[in-house]
Each structure stands twice: as C-alpha cells, then as structure tokens.
Amino acid sequence: MYKRYPSVQSMNAFLHAARTGSFSSAARKLDLSHSAISQQIRSLEEFIGQPLFIREGGGSNLTDAGQLFASVLADGLAQVDRALSSVKNRKVPLRMTIDVDSELAQSWLNARLPELLSALPGHELMLMSMPRAERPSFERVDVSLRYGYGDWDDCEMMQICADRVIAVAAPALLSRYELTAPIGPEQVLELPLLGYTRRSWIPWLDAAGLPPEEPAAVVVFDNAANLMAAAEAGVGVGLVRGLLAADALRAGRLVELTCAEIPAHYNLYAVWSHGQAERVAPLVEAVKQMAASTLSTTD
C-alpha cells in the first residue's frame, strides 16, 4: 500500500530548527529565508496533525511531540543520507548470483575465481550451493552450474563441456604397492578402491574389457570432492571426472593409472531462466572457456 510522506526538506528544516531553537538560525544554516523555514515546518505540522514548536518570546521551543519526533528523526535522515551516498556518483556493480554444484566449486571453480572475475569487469558475484531439491527454481539465482543430462524443463541451458571418467590414485599409493603408472586395468582392481554413490565401476570395467561385476570399495563417498581428497591422501583408487581432477593431476597429487576411460554422459551445464540469455552470456562464456582450457591441458 502506497504511503505518503512529508518532504525531506521540511524534515531537515525541522531538525535544524530543533537543534538551534531558532528558525532564523536554521534559515542561515540552510541558506533559506525565515519564511521558507516557517512554511516547511508548518506543512510538516499539518501532515503530523499537531504542533511541533511553541512560538513564544521571539523563540521556538519544542512541544512534547516535537521532542519525540526530533529524537528519532535524526537517525532516519542519517540512514537516508547513507543510502544516497552509497550510490551517488558511483557505478554500482552488476550482481550475478550463481548456484554452483558444491563438488565443482571445491574441486575446480574456487581456484579459478580470480580468472572469472577478470573476465567479468564491473560484476559482483554471489556464489551459492543450493540443495538439489531446490535447483529447479530460479527465484534466487541468475544462472546455475550443475551436472545432468540437459533435460530440464522451463529453462534455457548450454553444455559447458563434455568430460571423461578416469581412474586415478596418489603416487604414494602406487609406491606402497611398488607400481608405476601406467598400469593395466586388471592391476587397478588389485588396489584398494573408492566408491561413489552416484557412479558405478561397471561401465569403466566394461570399457577396460574386464568382467562387469561391481568391486568392493574400502570407502564410499557421496561427494566427489571428498573422494578425490581421499585419493590424494593415498586411501585408494577413485573414478573421477577429468575436469574435477585436472588441478591434482597437473600438480602431481594424483596420477592417471591407465588408458581405460569412459565418456561422461552426466555433464556440466549452465542453466538459466527464459529471457535471461543476454544477461548471463558473459558468465557462461567465461566458464566455458575456462573449462575448455582446463581440459586441453589434461588431454
């Protein structure tokens, strides 16, 4: 419901008169005439419905209502002044709210935030990792970076990259078993294996020409970033996405064990609501270029 307020000028005139106890002093302070100050305060009193000053003996004293109003008005005008100062003569950055898959953020995107910010001058990024159940809604985000099959309804999307799933382990694990990469797929199964709740070993075994029987895992994870951290610690062998493992492979914290791999059908997409393609295009293109650069260095 629309609310009518008195002018800021009239409230400012009242506040100066209240502080000095003189309409004339307020007029000089604000570079206005005495009659202009009187008129502004009179209009304020008409709006409030009761007098704010008692004019007597050539001076002006606050009424009880005037004292109450003055005591709270100063903070209110100070807030208005701060609000104006926050945007006056200042270029406000374009805020972009991004829902980022938590595994992607931990293993890949966080390390590339400087590069992403450099590609988006004038933007302010807000990163969120929304629960999967909330992801169909775009009420809180501009674009979502999520894994899937690209079959979401009521939105627009672009595949960021195609990926592959590979077997990796820490050099320390290979050293314990007196092995040197690359090793054969059958030797991989002789090592402790790490499980992932959203990925079976069977497609990889099939691609490697091994019997498609799910092997036992020493630890099972529901988060790929945690699985990779365990692999880096030498706990076991993990099946991971090339994009998420790229930094660890480049740094030597992980090694690719064998040439056996499978294409990832559950890939990374940028997803946004209809009509927002132009707004999110710089971000989507920047992320796509960073993914392409990452994968080109690991091929």
Side-chain angles (χ1 to χ4, degrees):
M1 182 177 180
Y2 174 75
K3 291 184 178 181
R4 177 175 166 265
Y5 296 98
S7 70
V8 173
Q9 289 83 356
S10 66
M11 290 187 286
N12 200 34
F14 162 75
L15 204 55
H16 277 81
R19 287 169 176 166
T20 62
S22 166
F23 284 21
S24 297
S25 296
R28 288 193 296 271
K29 182 73 173 178
L30 297 174
D31 196 23
L32 296 172
S33 66
H34 186 283
S35 61
I37 293 291
S38 296
Q39 176 57 40
Q40 287 181 348
I41 292 177
R42 191 177 303 112
S43 68
L44 189 59
E45 290 175 325
E46 291 174 357
F47 181 90
I48 293 173
Q50 58 181 313
L52 298 172
F53 286 95
I54 299 174
R55 287 86 168 174
E56 56 185 7
S60 301
N61 296 316
L62 287 169
T63 63
D64 289 344
Q67 290 178 353
L68 176 61
F69 188 43
S71 68
V72 295
L73 180 60
D75 288 341
L77 288 182
Q79 287 183 334
V80 171
D81 187 59
R82 286 194 294 271
L84 291 171
S85 297
S86 68
V87 295
K88 187 177 181 181
N89 298 323
R90 176 184 168 197
K91 187 174 182 180
V92 179
L94 176 63
R95 170 171 284 192
M96 189 75 69
T97 303
I98 315 167
D99 165 35
V100 186
D101 182 276
S102 61
E103 298 173 347
L104 179 72
Q106 294 175 65
S107 302
W108 183 75
L109 185 61
N110 288 347
R112 289 166 176 78
L113 286 179
E115 182 180 352
L116 183 59
L117 289 169
S118 178
L120 298 171
H123 285 68
E124 176 186 275
L125 302 184
M126 181 174 182
L127 301 185
M128 306 173 64
S129 289
M130 299 172 62
R132 284 180 170 81
E134 297 181 21
R135 286 182 178 171
S137 172
F138 286 94
E139 295 177 359
R140 297 164 56 193
V141 301
D142 295 298
V143 63
S144 181
L145 300 176
R146 63 176 77 162
Y147 282 99
Y149 298 107
D151 55 357
W152 298 284
D153 296 326
D154 293 330
C155 60
E156 298 177 31
M157 68 196 74
M158 177 182 290
Q159 184 172 320
I160 295 298
C161 64
D163 210 340
R164 62 193 182 116
V165 176
I166 56 178
V168 298
L173 179 68
L174 293 177
S175 179
R176 286 206 309 271
Y177 285 82
E178 299 182 344
L179 296 171
T180 301
I183 61 177
E186 66 284 348
Q187 291 177 290
V188 171
L189 294 184
E190 296 174 1
L191 299 172
L193 303 180
L194 304 177
Y196 180 44
T197 55
R198 291 192 289 276
R199 179 176 297 128
S200 168
W201 274 84
I202 289 178
W204 183 87
L205 293 172
D206 191 48
L210 298 174
E213 299 174 2
E214 191 71 35
V218 292
V219 188
V220 178
F221 297 88
D222 68 352
N223 181 286
N226 292 337
L227 182 150
M228 284 200 300
E232 290 181 34
V235 177
V237 178
L239 288 180
V240 298
R241 297 177 181 279
L243 182 68
L244 301 188
D247 291 345
L249 290 169
R250 189 179 303 110
R253 300 191 305 271
L254 291 174
V255 293
E256 187 172 349
L257 296 181
T258 178
C259 62
E261 63 178 54
I262 54 175
H265 301 294
Y266 197 73
N267 282 301
L268 179 61
Y269 286 80
V271 189
W272 61 89
S273 59
H274 288 294
Q276 296 298 310
E278 184 175 353
R279 172 179 168 80
V280 304
L283 169 68
V284 173
E285 184 59 29
V287 173
K288 190 172 182 179
Q289 289 297 325
M290 290 192 305
S293 175
T294 300
L295 293 174
S296 69
T297 62
T298 58
D299 290 342

